């Protein structure tokens, strides 16, 4: 098996690069978190299906930080129960602080799922968490159609022609997250 | 003794070969204002101010690279904030790289300014007066503020550049292995570099305004400057075409002079790319702006240039190769960008032109600006005839062949900075629909990385250009030429409404074209804020890009709005170096409206601006190291900036934590009492993912503790409205900015009071329509906010 290429090929940060993993493994990994958070970006809005996936994850009790202008998608679907608008840069600034009270005031998170976020923006925020949210360790995954070396786990790069396969992966992922 | 000669040189009678040089003669300076506490600050002088900023807006780091490769101890792996062999931690290393970026940016403007000063002194002498006419008394706010100098002639800028150069060397020294180890101190140094950079920009623009008579404060200037054509479609290719690229205007100005003096203005088109184009239109009224930086590759590939003239900064490193491809001779005019060519300065122009036209050489270097015009124009006229039959846009058959040849491997997408799905667009083109490819043209940042990885060697940039060519030919915008300084009289008019908040803010779109989603976002930002009565001041590539789009009436944003520094104005200030006038406008508000002393008084003025002047920069497509130093310079002066998502690759941001109460303690200078305030401005440097998110963010970052209740209600109206319009939600933090019921917009006051009661548990007296409990603080119209204890007038 060859080495996976980052979606933006030059995004090779250093010796520590995350793993490519299938949806069931990532789902199981998410399930191991005690306080996970789903950070959603504006790329989610490209298709209703992806909004529905975020909502499915939200319904499993994982709070959602709607970054970029992704909030529109949740409002349009009438799902805002555990959805909070937050700028991703500001959110990451909070996430790196173990003393942050979280979106609900109950404390910081131990696991962040990145989803629907512009690749290079997500990559930089994942880099911040990888390098500075280490004590206690914050685990991160990406469930976008990209390989993200700065996340501990992510999917592989998925070309547009494989869109249906990607949707299947997301379905399997949602199924494998224990609520 | 014979007479004293210029430069402090005199000779003594009857003593041959004896010369005494007494160096600089310092004339007694006119007493114009008492000197403030910090003239010509050194690295540590303003460190306390920096630390006040850095303790509230704590540096945030997102490394692009987890390693350090700067010395032979390494490479060192710093992942997880580990230390390298020299002892530096990841956070300090990131701050070091930020300082390095600011060093490069600041040096570019300093080098440019110094170069310009040399050329101008050489051409016009040292004594060119700095006189910007009846509308501008404070001619050089940053020079006065930082250096304590009131410049009277361009020669006075020798001292300014000497100061900056010395500081740059000291700051560069701090980058060496084994020097600074604290990220906070690296950031303080970066802020110092940013301030120096703002000074460079002001110096450079003042020198060129003074020497070339660019618009300033005379009748016909300012808001009344003429319009200029913008866009590839405005270039008449039936004429000889000269394209100038870069930032340093003297060679381009000489082309304009040669065209005018030889009655060739109607035979040769002079168009430009990037800031040189903006500045050329300030000196030669028939010049045109072809494009901003983002289209450089595509304009050159389109082959419209009969001659390309480059000066400095933001020129593609492969420019010579591109020129050779289209048989466009190139003239390099600056020793910072010589591209391996032969220096032909002072050669016979006939010989140079002959060598260029015959193709014996692909280009030449001419370092004397006043020799460029003749060679460029004569070469262009001859090349026009020679190149007329050449075609560089793909034929229909070629286009068809290439899109069919695509194997959808996705390599181009992985190489693209914006991850564009080019293969899919090719696939649509094969099926007969070229719109997806044409649409990509504007989103593409024009780097060409895709072509280098294409397994089928498809000239992807050319394919995209071909698809978009029908629109491209019609790309004809209009913008005002760069007006330079904001008039003192305009500041007198708007100072109060800006500080009180009734003009909701100054929005300053600046910088490069590395946009996440094309040039239209630049237009949308300007439109949205101008229509809401903010003052929009633009410079550089964003000023150009937003002129490419038109409203339903066919007007560009400049045509649809006035050019006054007043509510609803859309002002093209000028090139990159002109954006110092935006700093200057904020400084003048403190000086003219509030009567704060300027001279050597940076800290107090920055403190004033941070708490009272609702200004926000936006570098939506920031790309260069100059953009890093520009933003950092704005930040030290107390002006926040928003960047696009690519801006996170600068590695560092400055964001506060509104939830940490102690970070938001200000002093009321009236009596020295400590006051916890709302987070305004919340961030000094922050990225947004999309323009939809950036719009409410910018509105929020214009909120200041000094706002009156009326001003705050206007600012809150826009913040809430933009959030609802673009994010479909109330901003989650709007309540933090409410001090009293009259801070709430009248039209929605009841609704908002109800929300405060229901969602934030605030106590509302509904009979009096009054907030009884809840806000961070109450509204105090005489609140005199400061971060500086020394400004307390009378302690309680």
């Amino acid at each position: 098996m060859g080495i996976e290429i980052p979606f933006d090929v030059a995004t090779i940060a250093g010796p520590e690069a995350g793993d490519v993993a299938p949806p069931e493994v990532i789902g199981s990994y998410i399930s191991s978190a005690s306080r996970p958070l789903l950070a959603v970006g504006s790329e989610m809005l490209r298709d209703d299906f992806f909004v529905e996936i975020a909502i499915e994850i939200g319904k499993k009790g994982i709070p959602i930080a709607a970054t970029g202008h992704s909030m529109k998608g949740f409002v349009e679907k009438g799902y805002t129960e555990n959805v909070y608008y937050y700028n991703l840069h500001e959110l990451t600034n909070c996430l790196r602080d173990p003393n942050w009270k979280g979106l609900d005031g109950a404390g910081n998170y131990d696991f962040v799922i990145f989803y629907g976020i512009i690749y290079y923006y997500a990559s930089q925020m994942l880099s911040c968490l990888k390098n500075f949210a280490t004590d206690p360790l914050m685990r991160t995954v990406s469930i976008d159609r990209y390989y993200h070396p700065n996340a501990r786990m992510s999917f592989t790069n998925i070309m547009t022609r494989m869109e249906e396969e990607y949707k299947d992966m997301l379905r399997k992922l949602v199924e494998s997250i224990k609520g | 003794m014979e007479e004293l000669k210029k430069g402090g040189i005199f000779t003594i009678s009857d003593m041959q070969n004896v010369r005494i040089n007494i160096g600089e003669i310092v004339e007694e300076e006119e007493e114009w204002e008492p000197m403030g506490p910090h003239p010509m600050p050194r690295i540590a002088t303003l460190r306390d101010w920096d630390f006040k900023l850095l303790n509230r807006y704590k540096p945030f780091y997102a490394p692009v690279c987890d390693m350090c490769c700067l010395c032979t101890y390494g490479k060192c792996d710093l992942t997880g904030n580990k230390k390298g062999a020299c002892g530096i931690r990841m956070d300090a290393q990131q701050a070091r790289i930020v300082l390095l970026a600011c060093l490069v940016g600041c040096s570019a403007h300093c080098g440019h300014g110094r170069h310009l000063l040399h050329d101008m002194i050489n051409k016009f002498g040292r004594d060119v007066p700095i006189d910007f006419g009846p509308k501008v008394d404070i001619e050089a706010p940053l020079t006065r503020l930082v250096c304590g100098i009131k410049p009277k002639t361009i020669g006075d800028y020798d001292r300014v550049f000497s100061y900056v150069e010395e500081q740059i060397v000291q700051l560069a020294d701090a980058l060496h292995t084994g020097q600074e180890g604290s990220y906070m101190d690296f950031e303080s140094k970066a802020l110092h570099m940013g301030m120096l950079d703002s000074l460079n920009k002001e110096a450079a623009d003042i020198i060129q305004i003074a020497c070339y008579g660019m618009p300033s404060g005379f009748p016909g200037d300012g808001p009344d400057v003429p319009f200029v054509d913008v866009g590839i479609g405005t270039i008449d290719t039936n004429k000889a075409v000269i394209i100038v690229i870069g930032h340093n205007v003297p060679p381009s100005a000489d082309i304009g002079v040669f065209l005018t003096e030889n009655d060739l203005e109607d035979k040769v088109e002079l168009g430009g790319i990037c800031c040189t184009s903006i500045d050329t239109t300030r000196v030669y009224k028939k010049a045109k702006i072809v494009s901003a930086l983002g289209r450089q590759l595509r304009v050159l590939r389109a082959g419209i240039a009969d001659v390309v003239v480059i000066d400095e900064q933001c020129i593609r490193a492969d420019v010579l190769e591109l020129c050779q491809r289209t048989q466009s001779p190139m003239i390099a005019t600056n020793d910072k960008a010589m591209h391996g060519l032969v220096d032909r300065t002072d050669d016979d122009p006939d010989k140079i032109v002959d060598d260029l036209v015959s193709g014996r050489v692909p280009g030449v270097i001419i370092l004397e600006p006043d020799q460029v015009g003749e060679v460029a124009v004569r070469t262009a006229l001859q090349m026009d005839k020679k190149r007329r039959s050449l075609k560089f846009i793909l034929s229909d058959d070629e286009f068809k062949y290439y899109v069919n040849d695509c194997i959808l491997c996705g390599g181009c997408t992985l190489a693209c900075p914006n991850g564009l799905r080019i293969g899919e667009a090719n696939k649509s083109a094969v099926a007969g629909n070229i719109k997806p490819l044409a649409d990509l043209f504007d989103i593409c940042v024009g780097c060409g990385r895709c072509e280098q990885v294409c397994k089928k060697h498809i000239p992807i940039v050319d394919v995209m250009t071909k698809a978009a060519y029908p629109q491209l030919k019609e790309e004809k915008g209009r913008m005002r030429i760069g007006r330079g300084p904001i008039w003192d009289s305009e500041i007198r008019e708007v100072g109060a409404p800006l500080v009180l908040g009734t003009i909701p803010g100054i929005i300053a779109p600046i910088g490069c074209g590395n946009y996440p989603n094309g040039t239209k976002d630049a237009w949308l930002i300007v439109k949205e804020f101008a229509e809401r009565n903010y003052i929009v001041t633009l410079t550089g590539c964003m000023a150009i890009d937003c002129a490419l789009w038109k409203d339903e009436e066919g007007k560009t944003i400049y045509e649809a709005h006035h050019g006054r520094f007043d509510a609803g104005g859309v002002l093209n200030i000028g090139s990159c170096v002109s954006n110092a006038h935006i700093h200057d406008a904020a400084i003048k508000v403190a000086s003219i409206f509030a009567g704060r002393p300027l001279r050597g008084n940076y800290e107090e003025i920055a403190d004033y601006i941070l708490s009272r002047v609702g200004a926000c920069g936006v570098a939506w497509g920031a790309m260069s190291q100059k953009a890093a130093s520009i933003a950092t310079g704005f930040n030290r002066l107390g002006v926040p900036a928003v960047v696009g998502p690519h801006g996170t690759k600068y590695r560092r941001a400055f964001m506060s934590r509104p939830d940490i109460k102690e970070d938001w303690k200000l002093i009321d200078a009236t009596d020295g009492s400590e006051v916890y305030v709302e987070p305004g401005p919340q961030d000094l440097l922050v990225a947004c993912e999309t323009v939809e998110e950036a719009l409410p963010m910018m509105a929020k970052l214009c909120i200041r503790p000094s706002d009156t209740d009326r001003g705050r209600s206007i600012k809150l109206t826009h913040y809430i409205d933009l959030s609802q319009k673009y994010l479909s939600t109330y901003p989650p933090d709007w309540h933090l900015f409410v001090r009293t019921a009259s801070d709430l917009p009248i039209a929605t006051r009841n609704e908002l009071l109800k929300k405060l009661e229901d969602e934030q548990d605030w106590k509302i007296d509904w009979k009096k329509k009054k907030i009884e409990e809840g806000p961070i603080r109450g509204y105090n119209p005489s609140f005199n906010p400061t971060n500086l204890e020394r400004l307390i007038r009378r302690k309680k």
Side-chain angles (χ1 to χ4, degrees):
Chain A
M1 186 178 160
I3 297 169
E4 184 68 10
I5 298 167
F7 179 73
D8 185 342
V9 288
T11 313
I12 299 167
E16 286 190 21
D19 296 328
V20 171
E24 295 85 353
V25 172
I26 295 181
S28 167
Y29 193 37
I30 293 170
S31 302
S32 72
S34 49
R35 233 176 108 67
L37 173 71
L38 175 65
V40 177
S42 310
E43 280 193 359
M44 176 196 72
L45 299 176
R46 68 195 174 90
D47 186 318
D48 266 4
F49 171 84
F50 300 111
V51 184
E52 296 289 358
I53 287 290
I55 292 171
E56 288 301 312
I57 295 173
K59 284 179 177 170
K60 287 183 181 261
I62 297 178
I64 299 171
T67 74
H69 65 284
S70 64
M71 192 72 194
K72 277 180 109 78
F74 296 105
V75 173
E76 279 165 19
K77 296 278 180 193
Y79 182 85
T80 55
E81 193 181 342
N82 57 349
V83 185
Y84 308 80
Y85 165 72
Y86 226 101
N87 169 277
L88 182 62
H89 218 175
E90 291 176 348
L91 175 70
T92 313
N93 189 35
C94 293
L95 287 168
R96 68 179 176 137
D97 173 8
N99 297 317
W100 183 48
K101 299 294 181 206
L103 298 168
D104 55 3
N108 204 345
Y109 305 89
D110 67 339
F111 198 109
V112 188
I113 309 155
F114 279 65
Y115 174 53
I117 301 165
I118 290 179
Y119 182 76
Y120 48 88
Y121 190 16
S123 177
Q124 287 303 102
M125 298 305 102
L126 288 164
S127 166
C128 172
L129 296 177
K130 180 177 83 174
N131 283 292
F132 299 108
T134 52
D135 186 20
L137 181 71
M138 180 166 289
R139 292 177 293 167
T140 57
V141 295
S142 165
I143 56 168
D144 275 318
R145 49 187 175 155
Y146 316 120
Y147 170 51
H148 263 296
N150 283 326
R152 290 172 74 88
M153 277 186 201
S154 68
F155 291 154
T156 186
N157 295 317
I158 301 163
M159 291 297 123
T160 309
R161 65 177 182 277
M162 308 286 283
E163 187 86 333
E164 286 310 311
E165 284 86 339
Y166 174 51
K167 287 181 176 177
D168 276 343
M169 290 164 78
L170 288 173
R171 286 187 197 102
K172 284 179 189 162
L173 175 102
V174 171
E175 280 169 23
S176 58
I177 296 174
K178 295 189 181 76
Chain B
M1 192 175 83
E2 287 187 356
E3 70 188 289
L4 185 68
K5 294 179 179 174
K6 238 180 175 178
I9 298 169
F10 60 89
T11 54
I12 299 171
S13 305
D14 304 326
M15 292 183 73
Q16 286 187 346
N17 300 324
V18 173
R19 193 175 81 168
I20 300 171
N21 187 344
I22 60 170
E24 187 185 6
I25 299 170
V26 180
E27 289 176 25
E28 195 176 340
E29 202 173 341
E30 161 204 358
E31 257 313 312
W32 51 278
E33 189 176 308
M35 185 62 88
H38 305 127
M40 296 200 173
R42 303 175 68 81
I43 289 178
T45 311
L46 296 171
R47 185 169 176 261
D48 285 351
W49 170 247
D50 296 336
F51 272 54
K52 282 188 195 323
L53 293 176
L54 297 169
N55 281 321
R56 183 181 301 156
Y57 304 100
K58 292 189 174 57
F60 164 101
Y61 298 111
V64 170
C65 173
D66 295 343
M67 293 179 287
C68 177
C69 324
L70 287 180
C71 80
T72 62
Y73 277 146
K75 293 180 177 180
C76 289
D77 171 25
L78 307 179
T79 312
N81 208 18
K82 286 200 290 286
K83 288 193 279 189
C86 70
I88 199 165
R89 279 199 187 278
M90 174 63 108
D91 49 13
Q93 174 65 8
Q94 294 309 300
R96 186 182 182 197
I97 298 294
V98 169
L99 175 60
L100 181 62
C102 291
L103 166 76
V104 175
C106 180
S107 300
H109 285 137
C110 183
H112 171 199
R114 178 60 98 173
H115 199 132
L116 192 62
L117 182 63
H118 279 159
D119 282 343
M120 295 299 96
I121 288 177
N122 199 26
K123 187 176 172 75
F124 301 108
R126 300 178 60 83
D127 298 329
V128 178
I130 295 169
D131 174 10
F132 292 164
K135 301 286 187 185
V136 180
D137 286 333
I138 303 178
E139 71 304 295
L142 274 160
T143 308
R144 292 184 183 202
L145 182 68
V146 179
C147 297
I149 294 172
K150 182 179 176 184
K152 289 183 175 167
T153 68
I154 63 164
D156 290 340
Y157 273 101
D158 245 343
R159 282 167 68 196
V160 174
F161 283 122
S162 294
Y163 159 67
V164 174
E165 286 154 357
E166 198 247 339
Q167 291 300 297
I168 285 176
V169 171
Q170 297 296 337
L171 289 163
D173 180 7
L175 290 164
H176 196 274
T177 302
Q179 299 276 39
E180 192 55 81
S182 150
Y183 72 89
M184 291 284 274
D185 269 306
F186 269 124
E187 292 296 353
S188 172
K189 290 174 173 65
L191 289 164
H192 192 56
M193 192 78 85
M195 180 198 71
L196 298 170
D197 184 48
S198 61
L199 182 61
N200 290 327
K201 291 181 296 177
E202 184 187 80
D205 210 39
I206 282 177
I207 292 163
Q208 62 183 8
I209 289 171
C211 293
Y212 286 117
M214 290 176 176
S216 55
F218 293 96
D221 293 348
D224 304 319
V225 293
F227 279 77
V228 60
D229 290 336
V230 184
I232 297 172
T234 65
I235 298 296
D236 183 354
T237 50
N238 291 315
K239 300 176 185 174
V241 177
I242 301 172
I243 298 293
V244 295
I245 309 172
H247 287 74
N248 187 34
V249 79
S252 308
D254 189 58
I255 296 170
V257 169
F258 190 84
L259 291 172
T260 308
E261 288 178 350
N262 293 278
D263 203 18
L264 291 167
E265 290 171 292
D266 294 328
K267 293 193 171 62
V268 179
E269 286 275 67
L270 177 56
I273 297 171
C274 210
C275 285
T276 285
S277 70
I278 293 181
D279 283 342
T280 305
T281 63
R282 294 164 86 190
V283 295
Y284 175 64
K285 302 293 181 278
K286 292 209 165 182
K288 292 174 179 173
I289 295 171
V290 181
S291 80
L293 169 70
R295 297 196 179 172
Q296 183 176 167
L297 174 66
R298 289 168 284 179
V299 169
L300 292 174
R301 285 274 193 90
I304 60 174
D306 293 308
V307 167
V308 172
V309 177
I310 63 166
D311 49 78
E312 64 169 281
Q313 300 168 38
C314 302
I315 307 154
R316 282 189 63 94
D318 59 352
V319 63
L320 184 62
E321 181 189 324
L322 292 166
C323 288
Q324 285 177 286
R325 181 178 166 143
T326 56
Q327 299 175 38
S328 312
M330 188 179 101
I331 303 172
T333 62
N334 195 298
D335 51 13
K336 279 161 271 187
M338 302 207 279
H339 293 270
L341 296 168
V342 175
D343 185 357
R344 302 286 294 270
T345 312
D346 295 329
D347 261 16
D348 178 359
D350 289 345
K351 285 185 187 165
I352 304 175
V353 172
D354 191 48
D355 281 350
L356 289 171
V357 172
S358 66
R360 276 193 291 276
V361 293
V364 294
I365 297 166
I366 301 177
L367 297 177
E368 172 52 56
D370 287 353
Q371 294 173 12
V372 172
E374 179 183 356
V375 173
V377 172
R378 287 177 53 197
T379 305
L381 285 166
Q382 293 188 50
M383 289 306 296
D384 175 41
K385 291 173 198 149
K386 214 174 155 183
R387 296 176 74 256
R388 194 152 286 274
S389 60
L390 302 175
K391 298 279 180 238
F392 298 99
I393 302 296
L394 296 179
S395 69
D396 292 346
D397 286 344
E398 286 169 323
F399 175 77
K400 203 171 162 186
Y401 170 80
Y402 285 128
V403 293
N404 271 293
D405 212 25
C406 173
I407 53 169
L408 299 173
C409 69
C412 50
T413 299
L414 298 183
C416 174
N418 277 339
L420 298 182
R421 307 269 169 166
I422 300 163
E424 294 304 309
N426 279 340
K427 197 171 148 191
S428 295
V430 170
N433 177 15
I434 63 165
K435 189 173 180 302
L437 255 181
D439 288 347
L440 287 185
F441 182 87
D442 186 55
I443 305 171
C444 164
V445 293
C447 69
R449 283 187 348 199
C450 50
E451 290 185 354
Q452 294 176 78
V453 299
C454 179
K455 294 181 176 71
K456 302 293 286 184
H457 306 292
I458 297 170
I460 297 168
V461 174
D462 295 346
V463 168
M464 226 182 265
T465 303
K466 169 70 177 177
Y469 198 59
Q471 297 95 296
L472 212 52
K473 277 194 301 186
E474 297 307 314
E475 190 175 80
K476 295 174 183 174
R478 299 270 287 160
M479 67 191 281
R480 290 186 189 86
I481 68 168
R483 58 166 281 174
I486 307 302
W487 291 353
D488 296 14
S489 53
E490 291 173 301
I491 298 291
R492 279 185 200 100
E493 292 290 320
V494 304
L498 266 174
V499 172
L500 302 177
T502 48
I503 290 178
I506 303 168
I507 297 292
I510 57 171
C512 338
N514 190 22
Y515 308 118
N517 197 33
T519 59
K520 196 170 187 179
D521 286 353
W523 172 80
L524 179 64
I525 290 168
V526 179
K527 176 179 180 289
E528 195 62 76
F529 284 104
E531 288 179 352
R532 290 169 185 270
N533 276 336
Y534 288 72
I535 306 171
V536 185
T537 57
L538 298 112
T539 61
C541 285
M542 271 190 95
I544 298 171
D545 283 330
C546 78
L548 297 175
W549 297 88
K550 294 176 181 169
D551 61 20
E552 303 76 22
E553 293 173 25
K555 288 181 179 172
T556 66
I557 199 73
Y558 293 98
E559 293 168 313
H561 289 266
H562 67 79
R564 299 187 304 282
F565 189 75
D566 201 349
V570 176
L571 294 72
N572 173 21
I573 305 296
S575 58
C576 283
V577 292
S578 309
N579 76 36
H581 301 300
I582 304 171
H583 299 71
D584 289 349
I587 295 166
K588 283 192 200 184
V589 170
S591 167
I592 295 173
F593 167 68
R596 300 291 178 107
L598 281 191
R599 192 175 187 189
N601 196 26
Y602 189 93
E603 185 185 53
E604 181 178 343
I605 297 296
D607 176 63
Y608 181 93
I609 292 169
L610 178 67
S611 294
R612 297 171 199 256
V613 181
C616 178
V618 53
W620 193 241
M623 171 279 293
S624 66
Q625 296 84 33
K626 287 185 298 171
S629 58
I630 289 170
T632 308
F634 269 114
N635 292 164
R636 196 185 216 191
L637 194 61
V639 179
V642 173
V643 293
H646 282 295
T648 55
K649 289 181 258 178
Y650 282 116
R651 302 167 176 81
R652 183 264 279 134
F654 291 134
M655 292 176 284
S656 80
R657 287 282 299 280
D659 55 318
I660 300 177
K661 188 180 171 186
E662 283 305 306
D663 287 355
W664 290 99
K665 191 161 67 180
L666 290 186
I667 301 166
D668 189 338
T670 313
D671 59 7
S673 57
E674 291 179 338
V675 182
Y676 291 100
V677 301
E678 58 281 10
Q682 181 173 327
D683 303 316
L684 280 184
L685 191 77
V686 62
C688 291
E689 188 187 25
T690 60
V691 73
E692 290 89 342
E693 185 182 33
L695 291 164
M697 176 66 85
M698 282 183 262
K700 177 165 82 165
L701 294 183
C702 285
I703 294 175
R704 294 294 180 278
S706 67
D707 296 338
T708 60
D709 53 350
R710 185 158 164 257
R712 180 63 58 86
S713 76
I714 293 169
K715 291 185 183 187
L716 266 179
T717 300
H718 294 304
Y719 180 37
I720 293 171
D721 187 58
L722 284 164
S723 290
Q724 290 184 309
K725 182 173 177 181
Y726 290 102
L727 306 179
S728 296
T729 185
Y730 272 83
D733 56 355
W734 68 272
H735 62 282
L736 298 179
F737 302 103
V738 180
R739 300 160 299 182
T740 176
S742 52
D743 279 350
L744 299 169
I746 294 171
T748 53
R749 190 169 292 168
N750 284 350
E751 180 193 333
L752 294 174
L753 283 171
K754 188 81 179 74
K755 281 178 83 69
L756 289 170
E757 188 176 56
D758 293 346
E759 296 170 15
Q760 306 297 332
D761 294 329
W762 286 20
K763 284 192 180 161
I764 311 294
D765 180 337
W766 283 101
K767 278 187 187 164
K768 294 179 184 167
K769 296 262 175 71
K770 205 175 154 191
I771 297 169
E772 292 204 316
E773 199 180 303
I776 294 171
R777 66 173 172 122
Y779 172 51
N780 171 10
S782 56
F783 180 42
N784 189 357
T786 182
N787 294 278
L788 305 174
E789 284 196 11
R790 68 181 172 84
L791 296 184
I792 298 171
R793 289 178 195 159
R794 175 175 52 80
K795 281 222 174 187
K796 256 202 305 199

